[in-house]
Amino acid sequence: MTVASHFSTPSARRTPRAFSLPVLLVGVALVALELFVGGGAGEYYLLLAYVILQYLVVATGWNILGGYAGYVNFGTAAFFAVGCYTTIALQKLADVPLPLSILAAGVVAGLLGLGTGYLTLRLRGVFFSIATLAMAVVLQTLIINWSFVGGARGTYILRPDPIAPFTTYVQYLLVLMTVLATASVLIAIAVERSWIGMGLAAIRDDELAAEASGVPGLRLKLIATTLCGALMGMAGAPFPYFITYVEPASAFSLAIAVNAIAMPLIGGTATWWGPVVGTVLLGTTQQVLTVTISSAANLLIVGILLVVFVTAAPTGVVGLVRGMRGGRK
């Protein structure tokens, strides 16, 4: 199948539905389980689940641009931090409830993604990646010099009292992040199975050929950068209430930037469930190592796994599974 037919005649072949009811049911079941278990699971396990789900949102958002379109974004931490500081600014201005802060963070980070995409998407390859990295450095410098949100000293955020039916505020945060994770996966599925995903796949395979065939490259990439930025910003919005003390170094953490790339690459970037698999594998491994060895081992393990997968299995776990199925046939 040519690039042109791949994009221009989607109805000529069997196209999967853009909405996944099983994923929605899994999300509802997780929320029900979290409400049922409550504080009985122990705060550590609630925090562990929160971290993994937070990375799931970040990795899924990154994959919409980096996986589907092949544009590697090194500015993940900037979008995450924009969401984080949007919450801090709104909390200081008017004590805005967290769900509204999450929506506001999505709008702000999405607009940042749209603006960044408009300025940088004419660059390709390593030049685009460097531009996104420079954007993160510029934003971190601005935050360091913005005293209203704490500047370089950072700021404390007090957790409000939990509201019914939640027994603790950590449980409330976990439920919110579960809803966000479910929504992000559903968005990724909708993008992948729609004309947007087909166009982004054509761009990833051969951008010049895709545009020559009539694929609206810039418009599709701007949609991808907006969605990518919005999801990452929404993942960062609850972060101040999670750690209660935020400084630029924690909001613009290297671990967030590295994991956002490593998890989709390890799971596989071609499908929506690649980042899910990568996040569960890598996120769980990191948390186990944090408890049994040291938190400093996290990035070391990420680096080793990245080297292994990039050299031995560049298509990730998804590619390995598909290869095994193909071999059996």
Side-chain angles (χ1 to χ4, degrees), residues 225-249:
T225 54
T226 304
L227 288 174
C228 174
L231 290 177
M232 291 176 181
M234 294 173 81
F239 191 64
Y241 291 99
F242 175 67
I243 62 173
T244 68
Y245 172 70
V246 181
E247 56 174 340

Side-chain angles (χ1 to χ4, degrees), residues 208-235:
L208 292 177
E211 291 184 344
S213 303
V215 176
L218 180 60
R219 190 189 348 155
L220 291 177
K221 289 185 290 184
L222 287 176
I223 293 173
T225 54
T226 304
L227 288 174
C228 174
L231 290 177
M232 291 176 181
M234 294 173 81

Side-chain angles (χ1 to χ4, degrees), residues 1-311:
M1 180 179 291
T2 65
V3 173
S5 63
H6 181 69
F7 181 70
S8 61
T9 61
S11 60
R13 60 188 177 84
R14 186 173 179 272
T15 303
R17 293 181 178 179
F19 179 76
S20 175
L21 182 60
V23 170
L24 177 62
L25 293 177
V26 169
V28 172
L30 284 176
V31 170
L33 178 64
E34 291 160 2
L35 290 174
F36 176 75
V37 173
E43 188 163 298
Y44 167 74
Y45 294 102
L46 297 181
L47 295 173
L48 169 67
Y50 175 91
V51 171
I52 293 175
L53 289 169
Q54 170 192 277
Y55 278 127
L56 175 57
V57 179
V58 172
T60 301
W62 184 92
N63 197 52
I64 290 177
L65 180 65
Y68 296 161
Y71 275 69
V72 178
N73 178 7
F74 284 159
T76 303
F79 294 103
F80 184 88
V82 163
C84 175
Y85 279 101
T86 298
T87 295
I88 293 174
L90 291 176
Q91 197 274 340
K92 289 183 176 294
L93 281 172
D95 199 13
V96 175
L98 182 54
L100 293 181
S101 295
I102 292 174
L103 294 176
V107 172
V108 174
L111 290 175
L112 176 65
L114 178 63
T116 303
Y118 189 78
L119 293 175
T120 61
L121 282 174
R122 290 173 178 80
L123 303 174
R124 292 175 182 173
V126 68
F127 299 105
F128 171 79
S129 301
I130 292 173
T132 57
L133 181 62
M135 182 266 296
V137 174
V138 170
L139 283 178
Q140 185 171 5
T141 305
L142 291 176
I143 293 295
I144 288 174
N145 291 281
W146 191 12
S147 59
F148 180 71
V149 294
R153 293 176 302 173
T155 186
Y156 287 96
I157 296 292
L158 297 178
R159 290 175 182 166
D161 294 330
I163 55 176
F166 307 103
T167 55
T168 67
Y169 200 78
V170 173
Q171 184 195 18
Y172 175 58
L173 290 176
L174 177 60
V175 170
L176 281 180
M177 193 52 71
T178 304
V179 173
L180 275 179
T182 305
S184 66
V185 173
L186 289 173
I187 290 172
I189 292 172
V191 169
E192 181 180 320
R193 296 176 178 176
S194 67
W195 62 274
I196 299 175
M198 296 177 187
L200 293 175
I203 291 171
R204 181 188 62 214
D205 292 341
D206 190 333
E207 185 167 354
L208 292 177
E211 291 184 344
S213 303
V215 176
L218 180 60
R219 190 189 348 155
L220 291 177
K221 289 185 290 184
L222 287 176
I223 293 173
T225 54
T226 304
L227 288 174
C228 174
L231 290 177
M232 291 176 181
M234 294 173 81
F239 191 64
Y241 291 99
F242 175 67
I243 62 173
T244 68
Y245 172 70
V246 181
E247 56 174 340
S250 57
F252 289 87
S253 172
L254 177 63
I256 294 172
V258 172
N259 281 326
I261 300 174
M263 289 171 173
L265 286 178
I266 290 173
T269 58
T271 65
W272 63 267
W273 58 280
V276 176
V277 173
T279 301
V280 172
L281 290 177
L282 190 55
T284 305
T285 303
Q286 286 181 323
Q287 296 307 313
V288 171
L289 289 175
T290 298
V291 175
T292 57
I293 302 178
S294 166
S295 60
N298 286 343
L299 288 180
L300 174 64
I301 296 301
V302 172
I304 294 173
L305 288 176
L306 269 179
V307 171
V308 170
F309 272 88
V310 169
T311 55

